[in-house]
Amino acid sequence: MRSFLNLTWVNLKLYIREPIATFFTLAFPPLMVLLFGAMYGNDPSPLFDGRGSMDVSMPAYTAMILATVAFIGVPITLGGYREAGVLRRYKATALRPFTYICSDVVANLLMTLIGMVGLVIVGWLLYRVHFEGNVLTVVVAVIFCGLSMCSVGYLIGSVAPNARTAQVVSMVIFYPMLFLSGAGIPLEIMPATIKKVASFLPLTYVVKLLRGLWFGNSWGEHLLETAILSGILVFGAALAARLFRWE
């Protein structure tokens, strides 16, 4: 347990020292609140069922944080560690692979929750955003969605030979999802063609699930999203475990 806790703490510090991942996790979502809040405010709108633009953006920006951790933090760090020989050194120690992977997952989920708390604080202070769900239910959903997205990130990191390749692949996946899934721009204002494209993006289902639970829906009202994200989690984790390389 001590090894696990120490390694988790080290992974947290290393994550914070990575400027790109830290910026997109902790700073970029609040900046989006400032930018779009200044443009659209948070007045109730029929387009969002009587809620404001910032109200519906809180769970969407949380999904953005999840995607940032999964597609920028995880694969680039893993590829960099493999390239620098860090993973090979871990393999040579008494540390079990399971301990390393679990500590990395926990560190990434903690960064996600920290980013989410900062985002909500900014949204509430500036626009008094509304929350109608259950806090515990939403936290469980964030962890579930984080594991699902991270399974894809670990898959990319497992097959990428180095950090540069991992970065290119991650960016190619990340940016289209960021702007087309509803995480950055609400799906309600997008054309029908874009909505059809969004239905093929995993992050779209994260946005829909978090938005639903954020505003008081039950898990039973989001069985499709839960099933798709569960499939991604199982499939991605199984492939990542099979293809994972220490060196």
Side-chain angles (χ1 to χ4, degrees):
M1 178 59 70
R2 179 175 295 180
S3 299
F4 170 78
L5 293 176
N6 289 338
L7 191 56
T8 301
W9 177 241
V10 169
N11 284 332
L12 281 171
K13 291 191 291 186
L14 290 174
Y15 191 102
I16 293 173
R17 292 174 185 174
E18 172 55 50
I20 297 178
T22 302
F23 171 78
F24 276 99
T25 303
L26 301 181
F28 187 65
L31 288 175
M32 294 282 284
V33 173
L34 293 172
L35 175 62
F36 286 104
M39 293 170 59
Y40 302 114
N42 196 36
D43 296 328
S45 169
L47 187 64
F48 304 123
D49 296 327
R51 303 183 179 96
S53 173
M54 291 299 100
D55 291 332
V56 300
S57 293
M58 289 298 103
Y61 291 165
T62 300
M64 179 193 302
I65 295 173
L66 290 171
T68 301
V69 172
F71 293 100
I72 295 181
V74 170
I76 296 175
T77 300
L78 193 59
Y81 281 1
R82 183 181 296 110
E83 187 177 10
V86 175
L87 295 183
R88 184 172 65 249
R89 295 186 183 94
Y90 278 138
K91 182 181 179 182
T93 68
L95 185 70
R96 293 181 298 174
F98 182 75
T99 303
Y100 165 75
I101 294 173
C102 285
S103 69
D104 196 48
V105 170
V106 170
N108 285 311
L109 289 176
L110 285 174
M111 289 301 301
T112 298
L113 293 175
I114 292 171
M116 177 185 175
V117 170
L119 169 69
V120 173
I121 289 174
V122 172
W124 187 83
L125 289 175
L126 295 180
Y127 301 105
R128 292 297 190 268
V129 294
H130 296 88
F131 175 76
E132 303 167 15
N134 179 277
V135 174
L136 181 59
T137 300
V138 172
V139 170
V140 170
V142 169
I143 294 174
F144 166 66
C145 293
L147 291 173
S148 180
M149 293 295 96
C150 281
S151 68
V152 182
Y154 280 108
L155 176 59
I156 296 171
S158 295
V159 299
N162 51 55
R164 186 177 297 275
T165 303
Q167 182 177 21
V168 171
V169 174
S170 298
M171 294 298 184
V172 168
I173 297 173
F174 173 73
Y175 281 110
M177 285 203 303
L178 176 64
F179 295 108
L180 300 179
S181 67
I185 303 172
L187 284 171
E188 287 86 348
I189 66 175
M190 293 185 180
T193 303
I194 299 298
K195 291 180 180 179
K196 291 180 181 179
V197 174
S199 66
F200 294 97
L201 302 176
L203 192 59
T204 301
Y205 299 96
V206 174
V207 173
K208 289 182 177 180
L209 177 61
L210 293 182
R211 275 185 58 171
L213 297 178
W214 187 275
F215 293 118
N217 293 350
S218 67
W219 284 88
E221 297 175 78
H222 295 277
L223 293 179
L224 175 62
E225 291 85 356
T226 304
I228 290 175
L229 293 174
S230 296
I232 292 173
L233 173 57
V234 173
F235 185 71
L239 275 181
R242 181 170 182 80
L243 300 175
F244 182 82
R245 297 177 292 109
W246 290 100
E247 53 185 318

